[in-house]
Amino acid sequence: MKRIAIRPRPQWQQKVEDIGFGFHTGSLPYWTENAYYEFEPYEIDLLEDATQELWDLCLEAVQRVIDQQLYDRFQIPAAFRPYIERTWNKDAPMVYGRFDLAYKNGDIKLLEFNADTPTSLCEASIVQWFWLQDIAPQKDQFNSIHEKLIETWQYWKDFLHRDTLYFSCISEHLEDFTTTEYLRDCAIQAGFDTRFIWIEDIGWEARQQHFLDLEGNAVKNIFKLYPWEWLIQEEFGKNILLDSHAAYWIEPAWKMILSNKAILPLLWEMFPDHPFLLPAYHEPNRLRQYAKKPVLSREGANISLHADSRILEQSEGDYGKEGYIYQQLFELPCFDGNYPVIGSWVVGAKAAGIGIRESDGLITNDTARFVPHLIDV
């Protein structure tokens, strides 16, 4: 894995906007193409195999939580536990997830898994692919995300209710809207009839007990880019347990287990010394160097890195009331002050590609930059 500095494409902003990517620059640059990461083919094989194996471990962990009723570790309300088990036992439709991996000196380590509402999808799927076609079309990229998204939607077509597939996210958030519309576009290419609705515009028909759109149509299938841990705490979300149509919510509720950082101690408990896992616990125990992470948090908030009773780095935020986990510190590789995390995508239960975000420090937060990659073939 190398970081190669290059000159950005002329008018690159217009090029990425032409394919629907409008949040390339905020208060700080987000999409950056003054460098890229280069991999050898064997490194991509390692990342692909690790991603597939981690996915299999995660499925075993979900089954363990259900079999041994370990929900208290995950702060999941009792009322939703039977519903989680129904979605698991029915193999309810799931589409995607993103493992965040550290890759350094040949070691691959799982930092966490965003299994419910991962973003940076468009960048990894189509934006960096078009970048590659412009700068080095003879090279390759670990990227079949777009094709696998369409295949996955096609696979679920006969499983979902024979009705409109809705797509939803919170309003006034361009990144979430872009990601949701991109997933919707893939579903359209898979042959679905789709509609978009803001999450706050979804209604509830109390007498017949089902969800409605703004025109009074029943909502029976819905992709939501909205975290389960927020939804189940809201009065509106509790209607899911009463829904007479038993709408399919995608990602399914069992992803609540995997998107919770309490999965990290459980994975270590089940698979100690696994080469892709880091020691993780609900207490610091014997760890001298560790990352303290909230059980529920986003964008790298409320994380602190500790070494020998010193705090190396910490981030601010509003998370932590549900408790913390402690994961052995594995420092990210450093390339001239840039610290990359590899987001490795699982689409339809298959490893599908990677996207790379880099930060100025060891904590990957909401100011991280997306940097494209290629394979040296």
Side-chain angles (χ1 to χ4, degrees):
M1 180 182 181
K2 302 174 185 174
R3 188 179 192 276
I4 312 290
I6 58 169
R7 182 172 296 176
R9 294 171 293 174
Q11 291 85 47
W12 65 265
Q13 294 91 343
Q14 188 61 52
K15 291 177 184 291
V16 299
E17 289 171 14
D18 286 346
I19 53 176
F21 183 54
F23 56 97
H24 51 76
T25 307
S27 58
L28 295 170
Y30 172 55
W31 169 268
T32 57
E33 53 179 78
N34 56 4
Y36 64 85
Y37 284 91
E38 179 181 281
F39 293 85
E40 298 292 331
Y42 81 91
E43 294 178 302
I44 293 298
D45 290 342
L46 291 174
L47 288 166
E48 184 173 11
D49 291 346
T51 301
Q52 201 63 54
E53 186 163 344
L54 285 167
W55 173 250
D56 292 341
L57 300 184
C58 284
L59 296 185
E60 288 190 50
V62 173
Q63 190 66 60
R64 173 73 67 93
V65 172
I66 291 173
D67 290 345
Q68 299 187 5
Q69 297 291 291
L70 303 176
Y71 296 106
D72 286 346
R73 298 187 189 182
F74 295 78
Q75 302 289 315
I76 294 175
F80 272 85
R81 297 172 186 180
Y83 177 67
I84 287 173
E85 293 172 14
R86 283 202 301 276
T87 62
W88 174 255
N89 293 328
K90 286 186 66 174
D91 193 19
M94 53 77 58
V95 176
Y96 73 146
R98 191 197 70 223
F99 288 105
D100 283 347
L101 306 177
Y103 181 42
K104 182 180 181 181
N105 299 329
D107 284 331
I108 297 171
K109 300 294 183 185
L110 172 63
L111 301 177
E112 55 194 63
F113 185 24
N114 192 333
D116 183 19
T117 58
T119 54
S120 78
L121 179 67
C122 309
E123 306 89 289
S125 178
I126 56 173
V127 184
Q128 67 170 346
W129 177 254
F130 280 101
W131 165 86
L132 180 70
Q133 303 316 302
D134 280 348
I135 68 109
Q138 74 280 11
K139 302 285 186 179
D140 202 358
Q141 195 172 78
F142 180 24
N143 187 0
S144 60
I145 299 169
H146 185 74
E147 294 79 4
K148 283 190 169 64
L149 284 171
I150 296 172
E151 291 170 6
T152 301
W153 283 122
Q154 288 172 333
Y155 177 79
W156 291 120
K157 196 171 180 186
D158 291 333
F159 191 98
L160 291 165
H161 295 296
R162 294 189 180 280
D163 208 305
T164 300
L165 173 57
Y166 287 81
F167 284 79
S168 186
C169 66
I170 196 166
S171 61
E172 300 181 0
H173 196 291
L174 181 59
E175 181 179 4
D176 285 9
F177 177 67
T178 302
T179 303
T180 303
E181 280 290 79
Y182 171 61
L183 282 160
R184 183 185 175 199
D185 179 71
C186 293
I188 290 171
Q189 293 187 55
F192 277 95
D193 170 46
T194 71
R195 291 187 188 181
F196 181 87
I197 185 170
W198 299 117
I199 195 88
E200 51 267 45
D201 286 340
I202 301 172
W204 175 248
E205 212 298 329
R207 188 173 60 84
Q208 298 183 23
Q209 301 215 309
H210 61 76
F211 293 99
L212 299 172
D213 68 9
L214 289 171
E215 297 174 351
N217 301 304
V219 175
K220 299 179 181 178
N221 308 303
I222 182 165
F223 170 88
K224 49 93 194 146
L225 195 66
Y226 191 74
W228 272 109
E229 68 261 25
W230 296 357
L231 197 54
I232 64 176
Q233 296 297 334
E234 298 166 2
E235 286 302 314
F236 176 80
K238 294 170 185 173
N239 292 328
I240 291 171
L241 305 178
L242 307 174
D243 183 9
S244 60
H245 287 314
Y248 287 111
W249 290 76
I250 304 167
E251 297 293 305
W254 62 262
K255 286 290 195 76
M256 265 189 269
I257 296 170
L258 293 180
S259 61
N260 186 308
K261 293 182 186 64
I263 196 65
L264 299 171
L266 179 62
L267 285 168
W268 185 250
E269 178 183 313
M270 293 176 65
F271 310 104
D273 300 320
H274 192 285
F276 301 142
L277 300 177
L278 291 164
Y281 308 95
H282 288 275
E283 299 293 338
N285 293 341
R286 298 180 300 277
L287 296 176
R288 296 183 60 186
Q289 299 185 339
Y290 59 85
K292 180 182 178 183
K293 300 179 176 180
V295 168
L296 298 174
S297 70
R298 298 185 168 272
E299 305 282 8
N302 298 100
I303 290 175
S304 55
L305 308 182
H306 301 250
D308 299 322
S309 303
R310 293 183 301 115
I311 296 179
L312 301 177
E313 281 187 32
Q314 59 184 337
S315 57
E316 302 298 322
D318 299 324
Y319 299 97
K321 68 179 181 180
E322 293 87 2
Y324 290 82
I325 64 97
Y326 301 82
Q327 184 184 47
Q328 182 173 294
L329 184 62
F330 186 86
E331 292 193 8
L332 297 172
C334 179
F335 296 86
D336 297 325
N338 301 290
Y339 296 83
V341 161
I342 296 175
S344 192
W345 291 90
V346 173
V347 179
K350 297 292 184 184
I354 60 172
I356 300 172
R357 290 169 299 145
E358 62 177 25
S359 295
D360 296 330
L362 294 172
I363 297 174
T364 305
N365 57 24
D366 60 356
T367 63
R369 305 170 292 276
F370 191 98
V371 183
H373 81 278
L374 59 75
I375 305 171
D376 184 24
V377 292

